[in-house]
Amino acid sequence: MKMGLAALCLLAAGASRAANLDVTAAYKEKAVDYTNLNLNKSEPNDHSFLYSDGRLGIAVSKIYLATQGAEDTTMDVGLLMHALGASGASGTLSSTPFNRVAANYPSTDFTPFFENAYIRVHNLFGKPVEATFGRQSFKLGTGMILDDDGAGFDGVTVRGNLPFWGMSAQGFVFEDHNPLIATFPNNANAPYQTPFFSGALTMFGASVLLPTEGTWELNELVESDHSVAPVYGCTYTDPSSGDTDQCMASRALRSFTDVDYKVSYGPLVFDGEAAIEKGVATPTNGQDLTNPNPTVAPAASPTHITYDGNAVVFRAKWKQPIYHWSTPGIARVSLARGSGTGGGTTDGAFFPSHGHQFDGLERDGFGDFFGASPYSAFGGNYSTSTLSGLQQGDSGIIVVGVGYTPPSYKGFALDLDYFLFQADRVTSGPRTLAGEYDTRIRYNVLDHFALAAGADFVQIGSASYMGKGSARKYYFQAQGRF
């Protein structure tokens, strides 16, 4: 780190034109107590721990390269170290469900890893184009279909303005792995007990931004996945035994087409997003992939597997002054749905490999406890073969949320929220997963220092556990940055 900092300083000092050296730092410490994470009072899976999240970044910007046309071609060089860890509970991050969160990051024992290590060139080839090469933070739109969640992606992005209608565009290509496969349990019905392993995941695509009265964003993402794993929701019947087995695939090609619209109109802020998933997967046909001379099981899996899912998310906020208060109150509503699947050889469950799900070592989504996206959650089911975390046979998540933040008082703000979660598809029986009440008190000093404390109370639905019951989460956090 000392040698790298010295090299960056010399680079800045030796540039023929002025360059800027920027140092950034951020740290968050959070005490968390979970009760009944399994949503099952007979096996509650309680956890309490102290969670640390630190970042240190160094960047040299505006390094002069050349004058091409009316603008200078300049370069930025950036490094961002990120460290995550938990203490207070032995083995927390290797146990469910936190091992699924930890699998998204290179390390979770508070050993720093590179979230960013890149060079960025502005006005490339004398054109209004910006290109970034290396490990970088990246979010596509709102992140519903693609977000590095603080881990960083290795690859290239190119951004630029289009010569009409004020539009801009970007293209990208990244190499990574499918983080879900590393912790995905084996399936006793899989032919030859084929082990799961995480292969290369190539992600590429583009997006176009069109400013109107609001802002339209059209995103396209393609995933080329070489992970060997079950296809979520795809099953077939073994004619020799009559058993229902899960489809296994050695590679998959999935595409996600996403449209997002944002608008602010007076006190109203609205964000709506819709996406569809299409694709195909190549079955293993019962082959034992660990055998150098693989054989085919007597009853082979299907020869063709398809993906056909969709998801929508709507969020709206209304800011309204109240009486003599200097700050407004904020009312909000949210609706989300991710499609589930009904079995067969078509996987109808919407599920991108790197959609936004995590904030450090916790889930981040609808509800502080449940942490739901339209396709996954802390749903209480971590020992079966569901990627979503829901009970076997349940898939897709429907969310309805309402909340209100009264005007702040002497810098303190109170957030009150309620969320109702249901499964989009169930094999049989009820669909209600949970209802969640969230309360939080926040205190911020500018953008540099913040304190927060919260309590979340969950009423367990029959689709999560027939005995119902309750679960809860308490937390306190402090964070600072500059």
Side-chain angles (χ1 to χ4, degrees):
M1 285 294 294
K2 291 181 179 178
M3 293 179 64
L5 178 58
L8 286 174
C9 291
L10 288 173
L11 181 61
S16 60
R17 298 195 182 183
N20 298 327
L21 176 63
D22 300 317
V23 178
T24 60
Y27 180 75
K28 177 171 70 174
E29 186 168 82
K30 188 171 185 177
V32 186
D33 178 71
Y34 286 97
T35 300
N36 197 6
L37 258 173
N38 274 350
L39 305 183
N40 182 338
K41 61 185 178 183
S42 62
E43 299 178 10
N45 192 25
D46 299 342
H47 283 278
S48 297
F49 58 90
L50 191 64
Y51 153 53
S52 299
D53 184 342
R55 285 181 169 94
L56 175 62
I58 303 169
V60 181
S61 60
K62 297 183 179 179
I63 303 169
Y64 173 77
L65 297 179
T67 300
Q68 298 181 351
E71 299 291 336
D72 290 341
T73 298
T74 62
M75 180 178 69
D76 305 338
V77 179
L79 298 174
L80 177 62
M81 304 295 292
H82 193 180
L84 297 164
S87 59
S90 177
T92 295
L93 300 182
S94 61
S95 62
T96 56
F98 300 106
N99 60 338
R100 293 196 176 189
V101 183
N104 189 64
Y105 302 97
S107 67
T108 54
D109 58 357
F110 215 61
T111 299
F113 60 87
F114 279 104
E115 180 180 344
N116 290 173
Y118 63 84
I119 57 174
R120 178 173 295 141
V121 181
H122 305 270
N123 198 40
L124 184 64
F125 306 125
K127 305 295 183 182
V129 173
E130 175 189 285
T132 305
F133 306 88
R135 192 164 186 85
Q136 56 196 281
S137 301
F138 187 85
K139 177 189 288 189
L140 191 60
T142 65
M144 184 174 74
I145 63 174
L146 183 61
D147 193 335
D148 72 290
D149 281 340
F153 290 141
D154 289 315
V156 178
T157 59
V158 179
R159 298 181 175 92
N161 296 324
L162 299 179
F164 43 83
W165 301 339
M167 297 173 63
S168 59
Q170 70 173 343
F172 59 89
V173 58
F174 298 115
E175 286 287 340
D176 207 274
H177 71 287
N178 192 329
L180 299 171
I181 305 306
T183 59
F184 200 81
N186 210 334
N187 180 6
N189 292 327
Y192 285 104
Q193 292 291 288
T194 303
F196 310 155
F197 62 88
S198 181
L201 176 66
T202 301
M203 301 172 289
F204 59 92
S207 65
V208 176
L209 202 68
L210 173 62
T212 57
E213 184 176 356
T215 301
W216 290 92
E217 185 170 356
L218 174 63
N219 304 305
E220 183 69 22
L221 167 66
V222 178
E223 296 181 352
S224 178
D225 190 353
H226 290 266
S227 301
V228 177
V231 179
Y232 183 44
C234 175
T235 59
Y236 69 100
T237 301
D238 186 336
S240 62
S241 64
D243 293 337
T244 299
D245 293 341
Q246 193 162 30
C247 305
M248 297 286 294
S250 59
R251 60 180 180 268
L253 185 68
R254 297 178 290 265
S255 68
F256 298 85
T257 303
D258 174 272
V259 178
D260 180 53
Y261 178 68
K262 297 181 177 68
V263 65
S264 297
Y265 188 79
L268 176 65
V269 179
F270 173 80
D271 185 0
E273 184 174 12
I276 59 173
E277 175 187 3
K278 299 290 183 181
V280 295
T282 302
T284 61
N285 290 326
Q287 292 182 351
D288 179 2
L289 299 182
T290 62
N291 189 339
N293 299 302
T295 58
V296 178
S301 63
T303 58
H304 189 67
I305 299 171
T306 59
Y307 296 92
D308 187 11
N310 58 81
V312 294
V313 176
F314 299 99
R315 296 182 178 91
K317 293 192 300 184
W318 182 276
K319 298 181 180 181
Q320 180 65 51
I322 299 177
Y323 300 110
H324 63 279
W325 293 96
S326 59
T327 58
I330 303 174
R332 52 190 167 271
V333 62
S334 54
L335 302 170
R337 173 190 171 272
S339 63
T341 187
T345 59
T346 296
D347 181 359
F350 182 88
F351 213 118
S353 299
H354 275 284
H356 176 60
Q357 300 181 74
F358 312 120
D359 178 12
L361 299 179
E362 295 183 289
R363 283 200 60 89
D364 185 40
F366 297 100
D368 283 340
F369 183 104
F370 218 65
S373 69
Y375 38 85
S376 66
F378 272 171
N381 182 49
Y382 313 111
S383 60
T384 66
S385 55
T386 64
L387 289 174
S388 65
L390 306 183
Q391 292 293 327
Q392 186 72 34
D394 299 348
S395 59
I397 298 176
I398 300 172
V399 182
V400 178
V402 293
Y404 182 66
T405 300
S408 61
Y409 177 72
K410 294 185 177 180
F412 288 89
L414 173 66
D415 300 323
L416 303 170
D417 291 275
Y418 174 76
F419 297 92
L420 175 65
F421 305 98
Q422 290 190 326
D424 181 62
R425 296 290 296 270
V426 296
T427 302
S428 62
R431 298 170 59 185
T432 299
L433 299 168
E436 178 176 334
Y437 296 90
D438 294 344
T439 62
R440 174 172 47 195
I441 297 176
R442 297 178 286 113
Y443 179 77
N444 296 341
V445 179
L446 301 177
D447 291 330
H448 300 298
F449 177 71
L451 297 173
D456 312 316
F457 305 95
V458 176
Q459 296 176 328
I460 302 170
S462 299
S464 295
Y465 178 62
M466 289 301 296
K468 297 186 178 181
S470 62
R472 64 180 183 271
K473 171 185 174 183
Y474 301 117
Y475 63 89
F476 174 81
Q477 71 177 38
Q479 59 183 355
R481 64 182 180 182
F482 75 93

